[in-house]
């Protein structure tokens, strides 16, 4: 499914992810169900099917919250932020973006997550940087870019993440011409 998605073969990718979800359910593998729901949501986003993207991402979020799968929660929230931004629902996009970044840093700080190598954290940080840049850059006015960039920076400070989000804050400040 992932390879087909990269090749823009969305219909085939969707079928693969749906089949993978069925298999994961048979195996009672909640993490894989959530993972494939998130992948399916992102594929629907790429295929310009925003409502289906949100629906599948929300299902992934419910499973991820229940089983404390912070990384999958973050990724599903990223998809929702992208869809909402594309739909012009900027406040909802901003909230999803904030939730995703907070969950990203919660995951990065979790010492029990074995996969938290510095290289993996850097990879996901760069991904977070890229999609957040897309969301803010896609706002229709400089005033909205400034307003939302400031909102995110203040929320990160309030959450005690000012130092960790410094690179993101600088990028947002540049985008918003602050």
């Amino acid at each position: 499914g992932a390879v087909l998605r990269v090749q823009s073969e969305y219909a085939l990718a969707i079928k693969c992810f749906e089949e993978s979800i069925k298999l994961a359910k048979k195996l009672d593998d909640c993490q894989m169900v959530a993972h494939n729901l998130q992948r399916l949501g992102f594929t629907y986003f790429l295929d310009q099917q925003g409502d289906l993207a949100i629906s599948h991402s929300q299902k992934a979020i419910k499973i991820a919250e229940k089983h404390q799968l912070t990384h999958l929660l973050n990724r599903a929230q990223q998809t929702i932020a992208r869809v909402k931004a594309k739909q012009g629902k900027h406040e909802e996009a901003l909230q999803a973006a904030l939730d995703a970044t907070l969950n990203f840093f919660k995951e990065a700080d979790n010492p029990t997550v074995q996969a938290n190598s510095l290289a993996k954290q850097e990879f996901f940080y760069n991904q977070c940087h890229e999609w957040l840049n897309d969301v803010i850059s896609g706002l229709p006015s400089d005033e909205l870019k400034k307003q939302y960039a400031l909102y995110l920076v203040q929320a990160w400070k309030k959450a005690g993440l000012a130092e960790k989000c410094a690179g993101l804050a600088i990028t947002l400040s540049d985008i918003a011409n602050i």
Side-chain angles (χ1 to χ4, degrees):
V3 171
L4 291 166
R5 183 177 63 202
V6 170
Q7 296 171 345
S8 300
E9 295 286 344
Y10 301 126
L12 293 173
I14 288 166
K15 286 181 184 180
C16 286
F17 290 132
E18 288 172 341
E19 189 63 30
S20 186
I21 290 168
K22 287 178 190 175
L23 291 170
K25 285 181 179 180
K26 283 183 184 178
L27 296 171
D28 198 30
D29 187 341
C30 295
Q31 181 172 345
M32 193 53 69
V33 171
H35 187 67
N36 283 296
L37 283 167
Q38 179 274 320
R39 287 176 160 179
L40 191 53
F42 188 67
T43 305
Y44 278 124
F45 164 72
L46 293 173
D47 196 32
Q48 309 295 320
Q49 298 184 59
D51 290 339
L52 287 171
I54 289 173
S55 172
H56 285 82
S57 295
Q58 287 173 334
K59 289 176 187 176
I61 286 170
K62 285 181 184 178
I63 295 169
E65 287 175 335
K66 182 178 179 181
H67 297 281
Q68 299 177 340
L69 304 169
T70 314
H71 172 66
L72 294 175
L73 180 61
N74 167 15
R75 298 292 295 258
Q77 290 165 327
Q78 287 180 25
T79 299
I80 290 174
R82 286 179 188 254
V83 172
K84 295 292 186 177
K86 194 167 193 168
Q87 292 174 338
K89 298 177 180 177
H90 305 301
E91 289 184 27
E92 292 176 43
L94 181 66
Q95 186 58 52
L98 176 60
D99 292 343
T101 56
L102 294 177
N103 280 309
F104 166 79
F105 287 105
K106 186 187 300 181
E107 174 78 0
D109 286 343
N110 186 346
T112 64
V113 177
Q114 294 177 342
N116 270 346
S117 68
L118 289 176
K120 190 167 187 176
Q121 286 182 16
E122 182 72 16
F123 172 77
F124 289 121
Y125 182 86
N126 288 335
Q127 269 191 337
C128 182
H129 187 273
E130 180 183 319
W131 71 263
L132 194 55
N133 184 10
D134 289 347
V135 169
I136 298 295
S137 294
L139 292 170
S141 72
D142 288 341
E143 186 57 37
L144 272 180
K145 290 175 187 177
K146 183 176 182 177
Q147 178 185 350
Y148 289 170
L150 289 172
Y151 175 82
L152 286 171
V153 170
Q154 291 302 318
W156 294 332
K157 285 180 183 177
K158 186 176 179 181
L161 296 170
E163 228 175 84
K164 292 182 182 188
C165 293
L168 295 175
I170 290 168
T171 299
L172 292 183
S173 297
D174 289 346
I175 292 168
N177 294 318
I178 299 172

